[in-house]
Amino acid sequence: MAEPVPQVVIVTGGSRGIGAAVALRAARAGYAVVVNSSADAAGAGSTVEGITADGGVAVAVQADVSDPAAVARLFDAAASLGTLAAVVNNAGITGNLIGPLTDVPAATVRRVLDVNVAGMVYVCQEAVRRLSTEPGGRGGSIINISSTATKAGSPGTWVHYAASKGAVDVLTVGLAAEVASQGIRVNCVAPGSTNTGLHAAAGMPDRVERLNHTIPMGRGAEPDEVAAAVLWLLSGEAGYITGAVLPVSGGR
């Protein structure tokens, strides 16, 4: 009897933080995982090593999601592992700075929008092309990673970033309705303050701890807690859910 073809999930921005946690959980759930990164080859390699050491299947693929041609190559690489079943659209940046919007350089604004908005769109476009039942695909699931920063807008810190994540929420809702008849579910997970390297990279490593008093549960999330929500939305238990924006925020 022929071996079953692996179900493949692509995780963009999978070299660290939430993306790495999603990749590891997905592998434990039985997916073959494509771990994408833009430049962090060492981090992506570490995620792959963690998966393979646990008996899973994974490959690291470098691709800048703001480049549509690179996104197409990323999906081509996924096809070599098995049948694409899911895409976790996690790649996102803040521009590695914290401050008022007037202090954000134009080049930083452009790069954040290119990755967080245009990159999300390019990945969603390619995912629909590959998953849609209309041209013969098998359907599947897309999870976009947003942020609860969209609620308050992150004044004084990351207004540009919060604005980009607001676009992700709208993209999710619109695309979910557009492709529901094509066998594709599109949902969004919106983490609150999460213990990742994002804050340290922007020069404020204690930012999550400083926000704890604003969170009803009194602490920031761990990446694996966000990953658990992602994997649930990918599962059959969430089979009638599409167009949802699920906050994972401790009540904030």
Side-chain angles (χ1 to χ4, degrees):
M1 179 181 293
E3 290 291 324
V5 177
Q7 297 278 290
V8 179
V9 60
I10 296 172
V11 181
T12 68
S15 63
R16 60 183 180 176
I18 291 170
V22 168
L24 290 164
R25 265 194 177 259
R28 292 196 294 270
Y31 288 98
V33 186
V34 177
V35 180
N36 159 255
S37 69
S38 173
D40 186 9
S46 178
T47 303
V48 168
E49 287 174 8
I51 290 170
T52 56
D54 202 30
V57 176
V59 63
V61 178
Q62 186 278 329
D64 184 338
V65 297
S66 70
D67 177 358
V71 170
R73 291 195 298 271
L74 170 63
F75 278 75
D76 288 342
S80 68
L81 284 185
T83 301
L84 183 65
V87 176
V88 180
N89 214 352
N90 169 73
I93 61 173
T94 65
N96 288 348
L97 55 81
I98 288 179
L101 184 64
T102 51
D103 290 351
V104 183
T108 299
V109 173
R110 172 51 54 198
R111 180 60 180 161
V112 168
L113 294 177
D114 280 349
V115 174
N116 296 7
V117 182
M120 283 270 178
V121 170
Y122 300 149
V123 172
C124 283
Q125 287 177 320
E126 199 63 35
V128 171
R129 293 180 187 121
R130 310 279 179 135
L131 294 172
S132 173
T133 55
E134 288 190 354
R138 298 188 180 184
S141 184
I142 300 169
I143 308 293
N144 296 324
I145 305 299
S146 178
S147 170
T148 57
T150 59
K151 292 183 178 181
S154 294
T157 53
W158 287 338
V159 169
H160 62 296
Y161 170 80
S164 74
K165 291 301 187 178
V168 173
D169 290 357
V170 175
L171 169 66
T172 298
V173 173
L175 184 61
E178 186 170 286
V179 300
S181 64
Q182 301 174 40
I184 303 171
R185 294 188 301 113
V186 186
N187 290 295
C188 181
V189 170
S193 298
T194 306
N195 290 305
T196 71
L198 193 74
H199 309 278
M204 196 176 290
D206 62 343
R207 185 168 183 265
V208 173
E209 184 177 354
R210 288 172 58 182
L211 290 172
N212 282 350
H213 73 282
T214 70
I215 302 169
M217 290 185 69
R219 64 174 180 84
E222 295 301 326
D224 193 57
E225 293 176 304
V226 180
V230 171
L231 266 293
W232 179 74
L233 281 172
L234 289 180
S235 76
E237 292 182 345
Y240 195 59
I241 298 175
T242 196
V245 178
L246 174 63
V248 182
S249 62
R252 184 169 185 256

